Amino acid sequence: MSIGDVANRRIGQSIPRKENWALLTGAARFIDDLEPVAGLRAAAILRSPYGHAEILGIDTTKAEALPGVIGILTGRHVQALSNPIRSIIQWPGKYYPCALDRVRYFGEPIAVVVAENRYIAEDALDLIEVRYRPLPVVVDLKDAISDGAFAIHAGSSGNIVHRRTFRYGDPEAAFATADHIETICTEFPRISSTPIETYGVIAHFEQAPDRYTVWSNFQGPYALHPVMSGALRIPSQRLRLISAQASGGSFGIKQGVFAYIVLIAVTSRYFGVPVKWIEDRQEHLTASSSATGRLTTIEGAFTRGGELIGVRLKQVENIGAYVRPPEPSSLYRMQATLSGPYRVQNLAVENLVAVTNQMPSGLNRGFGGPQFFFPLERLMSAAAVKLKLDPAELRRRNLVRKEAFPYETPAGSVLDSGDYLAALDLALERAGYDDLLNQQKAARASGRLFGLGVAVAVETSGSNMAYVALALTPEERARSAAKSGGIAEATVTMDPLGSIVVRIDSLPNGQGHETVAAQVVADELGVSLDDVDVETQFDTRTSAWSIASGNYSSRFAPAVCSAVALASRQVARKLRVIAANAIGVEPHQVTLANGVAAGPHADGRSMPIKTLAGLAHWHTAGLPQGETPGINESAVFSDPSFRPPDASDRIRSSLAYGFLCDVCAIEIDKETGRLEIKKYVHVHDVGTVLNPSLLEGQTYGSFAHGVGAALSERIKYGADGTMMTSTFADYLCPTAADIPELVIDRVSTPSPNTILGAKGGADGAIHTAPAAIANAVSDALGIPDVSLPLTPGRVWELMQGRNPDEIAPVVETVYQADDALPALTTAGSLKGQGEVILHADAEAVWTALFDAQGLHDIIPGCRSIEQTAPDEFHAEIKVSVAGIGGVYKAILRIEDKQCPFRARLLGRGEGRLGFGEGEAAISLDTIRSGETRLRYQYVANVGGTIAGVGSRLLEGAMQYLVGEFFHGLDRHFSPEMAKTGSWLGRIMQRCAAAFGVGTR
Amino acid sequence: MKPAPFDYCRPDTVEATLAVLSRYGSDGRILAGGMSLGAMLNMRLARPNIIIDINRVACIDQIQVVDDHVVIGALVRQASALTDIRVNADAPLLARALPHVGHFQTRNRGTVIGSVAHAEPSAEIPLVLLVSRGFVELASERGSRRIAADNFFVSTLVTARRPEELVTGIALPVRKRRTGYAFDEVANRHGDFALVAAACQLSLSTQGTIDSFSVGLAGIADRPILVGIPGTQGARLNKADTADLAASAAATVSPRGDMHATAGYRRQLAFVLMRRTIGAALAEALEGVTDA
């Protein structure tokens, strides 16, 4: 089989994207542009302001009464209409897409409002009243797995939901004979890929028979289709999933939309209307999905000469509050390649998965790769220091050699092809490594902090879906149905006029599937790119699909394009047969090129391909014997060597393995910790490059994600479970201006396992950049422990010999000892201390402070207050700083009331923007008649939305409010002073605030 | 992220704007660039009863030089100020700070005055106004007034503006001879809220002694602050002194820690950035002395 027109091959060319016109002219239709059925209603989701709490009651009366509201769905309805979403492992909890009686992460859905439009739906959210009882919060992974940790799911003794150990080769012997054992502990933070477009779902339930049609930007894997239909309690053919034509990026995260498909589908069913839900940015950052966080202890056994002979690995995975499928697959996608690109044969692995009060995890660029290669590559660089070897040289001594491919790893992967040493050499050459070493010498001589970093990785692509079953023991697997494979399907049809439509079982999120699939078909059939359209809308009713379908694990280039090539070749065969019949030659003599099927001789007969297509459709009697009419060819690509994990947990888990090698140089500003990337080289082997410019785009994107993970991105929860990175002001993705210049080069070792030799290339530098940059920082600072992200402040803390993760995030207000004040009993993140002079006798102040009427006058914005017990008050307070705030219901209690005039005040309030609690100690001293000094210390904690979006501003705002309180207090006693106007009053209040913390 | 219901008006004149403000007071919010207000509305942090859109108000988008001050009107976009010849010639501190304000895209929309009125404690423009010893011009139906920057910024997002007042402009003293201006900041990413920002303005006499000297910080307290450095008036300063000056200045501030930076780091940045800005301002001022 040959491609006729080699000179005009489109594969390997930087063909401009066919998609661009629609995208650039605004013609592309995304999920939010669709109105596929009439009468769509809008949904908005009420989400938990607590990281962990019991739901005592939900009152939707007021919200339901709002004009324009159709109704409100809560966990009770979800439970009545759906089953828990199941995962591969048995665990003590149940996962519904909406909380039932307990919320387990900040942002967890509690109710869905359906209304005429999104504005009204959000107005109604404000009117839903939920009563919570806060529970102990477990946000930190180390805490979650510690003895006696509060169990997030009732009925379990802790938070570890999965534990397995693995052994490949003879790790004990390797460690026993090692000359050097290097150990390193790392924590890879949770990060998110943050596509431009957020989740979107349109669900339409119809009866007789019961069926759901759902439009969404779900990207697969379609192994989740049976999970969804099972949760929805319907036969799987009655759940029709249709993708929007265009998707504004995913990088994996849109796998997680599946839970919302179930939720919105149930909502549509309950209210009998089609419902559209478009996630907003805050929801997306707070509660969509993210990569797992991982604690790793990795040990390497080395010989004196630097050969890595054994690896011991303990991985503890943070998957958030629930086991949401396909987790715990983040942990197992790399299992078969835990030897990385190295020749090491002996591995001991312990895997733990823990639940925490964080959002559930899922696919994100690299899916489990960055979490693994970071510790592995940190280990290699740390070992190089101890072994007194150059880090590049240490890697060179351990990389799999060119002649060893295909190379079977100890855990069962078959690394199909590669030339790792050539890639390493190329990277070092492009970086000018020797020159960089000289620069470093010079920089160090002049006291500057200059570091070099190297990282390498293998890049898996095209999954054998069976790797998921590594989460089960061999015995458990033996009891359940065997799983293996990862098929791709494509159909190529040629209509009577010779135009071509290609259907694939992947759906693009912006990668350029239309362009590349058309390149493949155009080459195979010798037609023009303009003759080929690729259908990118995916519909489980009309598209051929299977469990592996979808857009993830870099499967498009290696697997889907293989299926497209196979289907195209079936069409080509048919065209040759018809042409041979028509022009009187043998089929194998026919070449297809430039839209023409030609015989063997230059002057011989030929026929336009479009005419052949016409023959296949219009003149079936004239077809050669045995040829079916029409041109409609489907092909399935499936790797026959994909098998289930064997009894020793070995599996060939991917179709093809690319290679990455990054070299970088950084310099750190000694005084500010600011890091500058002076040089960054990325060498990538993706086998056959299908479209260089599209691959370059992927590389820049993966590098940007890698730089983000290295330097600034991290999902962060407060100790109370509040999500602190719910906007782009706090979740810090690099902008285009923050991305340093990138030198890209390639080595190409085509894969023998794919039809075109292509491997996946989309994960790219997310695997290597965090490690390469961290290695460079470690090198520059000469310290072994470097944790991400390397923000200027965290680098500076590292330089001071402190671990930035162990510094309390809000710190350093140390109280001056004040024996006059009762000791505070609680800890808080917002603190203050100071004194004010009040124009009244101590006795009068004392009385006013503990009297409902007095408090009503003093507390700024107090709307009502009543005494509910001796020394206990219930109040409604409008808190406002610069118009930001809202009405809070508060309980105030007085304790330790002692004479002369000392007490502690405890308060707790809850409102629309969140909740707060605090404690204050006060004392009153008489200065002279009619003048009293009030001294105070307070601590306060604020949680919920306001803390999540405004943490930077809270302390100032708190000080301001405290100042307002004392201003109110003084005004209470000296009303004439208040009359001088708010302007002077504010100045006064500022003076009061100036006594607060910070002036010492 | 849809705002709570609000009324909307779009007056054409300052007078009409003031009339609306006088009617609604603190229930109204002024919309100029909307770079902060838009997000606050969408997150329902701000819930004004009425939005008063001043984008069509006539004659408030001017930059003028009046009585030795560069006066910037309420609708001047940050991007316009950045490229304005008078700002660059006569208000160098503002010109040097503006590239740090947000991003290219937000500067196209965001206004200089909006940043002043919003009073975000780490914002650059309020710091510039304070260190330049500039003024804020306010108007209401009862008349107009001018407040020194030092008296304008009260606390986090809180200013001395009365609810019925419109900030109509700011006035920055025109560049003086033998004066140096410097601005620097550290943020996690360029364009982010500054972890700490520092600005310095330093004037020398013809003899090279200090005539006036002010250095300030943002991101340290609940508003931009001037840092007092006693004993500099009339003194002769050279580069070697800047570290000591900055160190003694940094010792007087007590920054807070948050999720983006610890208090200790902020103190370090306060020191480094003050030393750098004082050094740069001094160098520029000395050039003026030499040239003369």
Side-chain angles (χ1 to χ4, degrees):
Chain A
M1 214 172 304
S2 67
I3 293 168
D5 189 3
V6 178
N8 282 332
R9 277 193 68 165
R10 266 64 52 109
I11 288 295
Q13 304 296 313
S14 288
I15 304 293
R17 283 158 53 101
K18 285 169 80 85
E19 296 85 342
N20 283 358
W21 277 113
L23 293 170
L24 295 176
T25 58
R29 296 189 23 103
F30 296 85
I31 183 69
D32 198 20
D33 297 319
L34 302 185
E35 201 179 333
V37 280
L40 277 184
R41 301 302 204 283
I45 297 175
L46 182 71
R47 294 173 180 279
S48 171
Y50 286 93
H52 199 189
E54 210 176 305
I55 299 175
L56 302 175
I58 304 176
D59 184 352
T60 56
T61 331
K62 281 185 208 158
E64 276 162 334
L66 187 73
V69 170
I70 312 292
I72 292 154
L73 183 100
T74 63
R76 187 168 55 85
H77 306 111
V78 174
Q79 193 178 22
L81 293 172
S82 69
N83 297 329
I85 291 170
R86 297 184 55 187
S87 80
I88 189 163
I89 58 169
Q90 297 292 318
W91 62 293
K94 285 193 172 78
Y95 174 54
Y96 285 98
C98 183
L100 304 182
D101 48 8
R102 196 159 154 181
V103 287
R104 294 184 175 84
Y105 64 96
F106 183 98
E108 181 166 4
I110 292 171
V112 184
V113 174
V114 178
E116 293 300 330
N117 61 53
R118 177 71 179 239
Y119 289 86
I120 296 172
E122 291 198 19
D123 292 345
L125 293 184
D126 282 350
L127 300 173
I128 300 174
E129 291 179 5
V130 186
R131 285 180 303 118
Y132 301 95
R133 189 174 72 85
L135 294 169
V137 174
V138 187
V139 281
D140 186 83
L141 185 54
K142 287 174 195 144
D143 293 343
I145 58 170
S146 64
D147 288 339
F150 191 89
I152 292 170
H153 292 277
S156 64
S157 56
N159 296 306
I160 296 170
V161 292
H162 170 79
R163 183 194 293 262
R164 277 214 66 196
T165 57
F166 301 84
R167 194 174 164 277
Y168 304 101
D170 189 351
E172 297 80 9
F175 276 85
T177 57
D179 298 315
H180 173 70
I181 295 173
E182 184 68 29
T183 305
I184 199 160
C185 299
T186 62
E187 177 162 10
F188 199 85
R190 295 191 81 175
I191 52 173
S192 179
S193 301
T194 64
I196 290 176
E197 183 198 36
T198 58
Y199 290 0
V201 177
I202 299 167
H204 185 206
F205 174 76
E206 294 165 285
Q207 282 178 306
D210 287 356
R211 62 194 190 276
Y212 294 100
T213 306
V214 179
W215 295 260
S216 76
N217 47 20
F218 177 63
Q219 59 157 70
Y222 280 78
L224 291 169
H225 184 280
V227 173
M228 287 182 259
S229 60
L232 290 168
R233 300 177 184 159
I234 44 159
S236 53
Q237 81 273 25
R238 305 264 162 76
L239 171 61
R240 180 180 185 179
L241 296 184
I242 304 171
S243 74
Q245 175 208 34
S247 165
S250 170
F251 318 103
I253 202 166
K254 281 181 180 152
Q255 162 265 326
V257 75
F258 91 93
Y260 289 96
I261 289 177
V262 174
L263 181 60
I264 302 303
V266 165
T267 307
S268 170
R269 174 177 197 145
Y270 187 74
F271 294 110
V273 291
V275 176
K276 180 184 208 169
W277 170 72
I278 303 295
E279 185 189 50
D280 66 38
R281 178 60 61 188
Q282 232 177 328
E283 291 181 283
H284 187 74
L285 285 170
T286 304
S288 62
S289 184
S290 84
T292 59
R294 190 177 296 174
L295 277 172
T296 304
T297 304
I298 185 167
E299 293 172 279
F302 291 88
T303 65
R304 199 161 289 112
E307 190 190 347
L308 177 66
I309 54 173
V311 171
R312 266 200 300 248
L313 195 61
K314 180 175 180 179
Q315 308 183 99
V316 186
E317 188 88 322
N318 175 3
I319 58 164
Y322 298 93
V323 184
R324 181 168 74 184
E327 297 297 6
S329 298
S330 292
L331 197 48
Y332 286 104
R333 181 158 173 256
M334 293 294 142
Q335 177 79 13
T337 38
L338 290 181
S339 46
Y342 302 120
R343 298 194 306 274
V344 58
Q345 287 296 314
N346 308 299
L347 307 169
V349 183
E350 182 181 5
N351 285 338
L352 268 69
V353 174
V355 287
T356 59
N357 290 124
Q358 300 191 6
M359 74 172 117
S361 60
L363 274 62
N364 256 263
R365 198 170 206 152
F367 195 45
Q371 296 95 317
F372 167 65
F373 287 109
F374 183 74
L376 178 67
E377 288 304 286
R378 288 285 302 114
L379 175 84
M380 292 303 281
S381 285
V385 173
K386 300 282 177 54
L387 293 164
K388 296 188 170 29
L389 285 169
D390 180 273
E393 176 58 25
L394 180 64
R395 288 172 173 87
R396 181 194 313 281
R397 292 183 188 186
N398 287 288
L399 288 171
V400 173
R401 300 302 154 101
K402 184 181 178 185
E403 54 278 11
F405 292 100
Y407 173 85
E408 190 169 347
T409 70
S413 281
V414 176
L415 305 179
D416 46 328
S417 63
D419 191 346
Y420 297 173
L421 293 182
L424 176 65
D425 287 338
L426 180 60
L428 295 175
E429 183 201 319
R430 291 301 308 268
Y433 195 66
D434 291 336
D435 181 47
L436 289 176
L437 286 169
N438 288 333
Q439 282 183 42
Q440 181 175 41
K441 243 178 239 159
R444 285 186 172 167
S446 60
R448 283 152 54 212
L449 300 171
F450 191 98
L452 303 183
V454 178
V456 296
V458 291
E459 182 174 9
T460 67
S461 59
S463 292
N464 173 1
M465 303 299 277
Y467 79 81
V468 174
L470 287 167
L472 304 176
T473 63
E475 297 72 36
E476 287 167 332
R477 290 199 297 267
R479 286 197 297 271
S480 52
K483 291 188 173 74
S484 69
I487 68 172
E489 305 179 57
T491 301
V492 177
T493 61
M494 199 177 251
D495 71 17
L497 296 179
S499 289
I500 297 164
V501 173
V502 184
R503 278 172 295 157
I504 53 178
D505 73 341
S506 180
L507 52 166
N509 302 117
Q511 289 93 337
H513 287 17
E514 286 183 53
T515 306
V516 176
Q519 286 175 254
V520 174
V521 174
D523 272 5
E524 297 288 344
L525 301 183
V527 297
S528 137
L529 284 167
D530 292 337
D531 292 332
V532 186
D533 273 10
V534 179
E535 179 54 56
T536 54
Q537 190 163 39
F538 190 83
D539 181 341
T540 54
R541 275 270 167 169
T542 59
S543 309
W545 65 276
S546 177
I547 53 134
S549 301
N551 181 7
Y552 62 94
S553 272
S554 300
R555 77 185 272 277
F556 175 73
V560 177
C561 285
S562 288
V564 172
L566 291 176
S568 303
R569 286 173 191 182
Q570 287 167 213
V571 173
R573 186 208 62 83
K574 190 167 198 170
L575 292 174
R576 285 197 186 91
V577 169
I578 298 170
N581 188 47
I583 62 178
V585 297
E586 290 300 311
H588 74 266
Q589 294 176 304
V590 176
T591 54
L592 303 171
N594 302 320
V596 174
H601 308 295
D603 55 348
R605 295 181 58 193
S606 66
M607 193 171 267
I609 288 172
K610 287 176 192 282
T611 308
L612 298 174
L615 290 176
H617 286 277
W618 290 104
H619 183 39
T620 56
L623 289 175
Q625 212 172 7
E627 289 303 320
T628 50
I631 299 179
N632 185 3
E633 296 291 330
S634 292
V636 171
F637 176 78
S638 174
D639 189 319
S641 69
F642 277 178
R643 316 195 69 77
D646 67 16
S648 45
D649 293 308
R650 291 161 46 86
I651 182 169
R652 232 199 100 193
S653 64
S654 288
L655 181 60
Y657 294 88
F659 182 70
L660 302 151
C661 180
D662 291 12
V663 176
C664 71
I666 60 115
E667 182 161 358
I668 295 169
D669 179 335
K670 249 183 173 164
E671 293 186 314
T672 64
R674 244 193 312 212
L675 183 157
E676 189 191 346
I677 296 176
K678 311 285 275 188
K679 186 99 190 174
Y680 203 105
V681 175
H682 173 79
V683 171
H684 203 177
D685 180 355
V686 299
T688 304
V689 177
L690 300 177
N691 183 319
S693 78
L694 291 195
L695 180 62
E696 188 177 284
Q698 288 277 15
T699 302
Y700 277 111
S702 66
F703 180 58
H705 275 129
V707 168
L711 299 185
S712 57
E713 295 182 31
R714 174 175 57 156
I715 290 170
K716 176 85 183 147
Y717 287 86
D720 66 352
T722 297
M723 145 69 71
M724 305 302 289
T725 45
S726 63
T727 74
F728 280 139
D730 291 313
Y731 189 80
L732 306 178
C733 305
T735 65
D738 300 312
I739 308 296
E741 192 183 328
L742 175 65
V743 178
I744 304 171
D745 212 331
R746 311 210 174 281
V747 163
S748 182
T749 59
S751 172
N753 295 344
T754 67
I755 301 299
L756 302 167
K759 306 176 179 188
D763 290 337
I766 186 70
H767 285 328
T768 37
I773 293 169
N775 284 340
V777 169
S778 169
D779 183 42
L781 302 181
I783 55 171
D785 290 323
V786 175
S787 62
L788 303 180
L790 293 159
T791 60
R794 290 169 56 89
V795 169
W796 187 79
E797 297 292 347
L798 284 172
M799 287 160 56
Q800 313 310 308
R802 292 192 282 261
N803 177 351
D805 290 321
E806 283 166 12
I807 300 170
V810 177
V811 274
E812 294 203 16
T813 302
V814 182
Y815 288 132
Q816 277 174 318
D818 190 339
D819 295 337
L821 291 171
L824 295 173
T825 58
T826 49
S829 54
L830 304 169
K831 297 178 181 181
Q833 136 179 89
E835 59 177 47
V836 285
I837 309 298
L838 300 168
H839 299 88
D841 289 334
E843 195 75 49
V845 175
W846 189 251
T847 312
L849 273 176
F850 307 122
D851 163 69
Q853 187 54 48
L855 284 169
H856 189 276
D857 289 354
I858 295 163
I859 298 172
C862 183
R863 289 182 160 183
S864 69
I865 186 162
E866 67 174 312
Q867 189 150 13
T868 47
D871 295 332
E872 189 178 285
F873 301 88
H874 283 213
E876 204 176 85
I877 301 167
K878 188 179 181 196
V879 179
S880 172
V881 174
I884 298 174
V887 176
Y888 287 75
K889 286 185 173 158
I891 300 173
L892 191 68
R893 225 172 48 243
I894 297 141
E895 290 186 355
D896 278 0
K897 214 165 145 181
Q898 0 171 328
C899 277
F901 311 133
R902 295 166 56 169
R904 284 189 302 118
L905 284 71
L906 287 99
R908 179 175 169 76
E910 205 169 81
R912 197 179 43 78
L913 288 177
F915 51 89
E917 57 189 357
E919 181 183 3
I922 59 160
S923 73
L924 304 176
D925 307 296
T926 300
I927 300 174
R928 63 177 75 90
S929 176
E931 217 172 276
T932 302
R933 175 186 291 115
L934 185 153
R935 284 194 283 173
Y936 65 92
Q937 288 184 341
Y938 66 84
V939 296
N941 290 300
V942 176
T945 310
I946 188 75
V949 300
S951 62
R952 284 174 319 105
L953 305 176
L954 279 179
E955 190 143 6
M958 183 63 73
Q959 262 198 0
Y960 173 72
L961 288 170
V962 169
E964 287 280 284
F965 176 81
F966 290 122
H967 179 54
L969 191 61
D970 208 34
R971 190 176 46 203
H972 181 70
F973 299 113
S974 341
E976 69 284 357
M977 292 198 60
K979 287 202 194 95
T980 54
S982 63
W983 197 82
L984 187 57
R986 285 219 169 90
I987 298 296
M988 268 184 52
Q989 154 269 313
R990 211 178 90 193
C991 297
F995 281 99
V997 228
T999 50
R1000 291 169 40 228
Chain B
M1 293 181 78
K2 301 280 185 240
F6 57 80
D7 287 333
Y8 171 84
C9 68
R10 195 172 59 199
D12 294 327
T13 62
V14 171
E15 292 69 30
T17 308
L18 298 181
V20 183
L21 271 171
S22 122
R23 188 170 153 207
Y24 288 94
S26 56
D27 290 336
R29 285 300 282 258
I30 298 287
L31 172 68
M35 293 296 92
S36 297
L37 182 59
M40 282 162 56
L41 287 171
N42 283 347
M43 292 195 275
R44 297 193 175 215
L45 298 174
R47 300 176 163 235
N49 291 342
I50 186 164
I51 290 287
I52 306 155
D53 181 349
I54 59 167
N55 281 282
R56 301 244 178 127
V57 172
C59 303
I60 55 169
D61 59 350
Q62 314 281 315
I63 299 173
Q64 294 162 302
V65 177
V66 185
D67 297 338
D68 282 344
H69 282 79
V70 178
V71 178
I72 296 173
L75 260 189
V76 173
R77 309 289 166 185
Q78 291 152 5
S80 316
L82 186 53
T83 52
D84 184 84
I85 193 158
R86 284 149 302 184
V87 168
N88 281 281
D90 292 333
L93 195 55
L94 180 62
R96 288 164 198 185
L98 279 169
H100 297 274
V101 178
H103 305 271
F104 182 82
Q105 294 84 343
T106 62
R107 288 195 297 267
N108 282 335
R109 193 78 204 153
T111 62
V112 173
I113 302 307
S115 175
V116 170
H118 185 51
E120 152 72 48
S122 62
E124 292 85 359
I125 299 172
L127 173 63
V128 165
L129 190 61
L130 186 68
V131 169
S132 310
R133 305 197 185 279
F135 296 89
V136 179
E137 299 183 334
L138 297 138
S140 73
E141 284 200 313
R142 292 190 298 170
S144 38
R145 63 184 178 128
R146 195 178 236 219
I147 306 183
D150 199 18
N151 293 328
F152 182 74
F153 300 106
V154 174
S155 179
T156 304
L157 312 187
V158 180
T159 67
R161 182 183 74 85
R162 296 183 192 126
E164 71 279 11
E165 282 180 319
L166 175 73
V167 182
T168 51
I170 57 168
L172 297 165
V174 165
R175 170 178 216 150
K176 288 180 289 192
R177 297 173 65 187
R178 298 179 304 279
T179 303
Y181 303 85
F183 185 95
D184 200 358
E185 74 174 39
V186 172
N188 276 327
R189 294 172 307 186
H190 184 87
D192 273 352
F193 294 111
L195 298 174
V196 176
C200 179
Q201 178 173 324
L202 188 153
S203 297
L204 297 177
S205 69
T206 46
Q207 282 74 44
T209 58
I210 292 183
D211 251 358
S212 74
F213 176 30
S214 64
V215 59
L217 296 166
I220 290 287
D222 59 351
R223 63 206 148 91
I225 52 170
L226 283 173
V227 183
I229 304 181
T232 48
Q233 188 65 41
R236 192 175 294 276
L237 206 60
N238 57 54
K239 195 159 186 291
D241 303 326
T242 55
D244 286 346
L245 276 183
S248 61
T252 67
V253 301
S254 185
R256 281 139 235 275
D258 61 24
M259 64 179 287
H260 291 305
T262 61
Y265 179 55
R266 280 207 166 90
R267 187 176 299 112
Q268 165 75 4
L269 290 182
F271 161 67
V272 173
L273 293 173
M274 283 196 288
R275 196 199 68 217
R276 288 179 186 179
T277 51
I278 295 170
L282 177 65
E284 190 181 19
L286 284 170
E287 271 175 36
V289 175
T290 322
D291 291 349

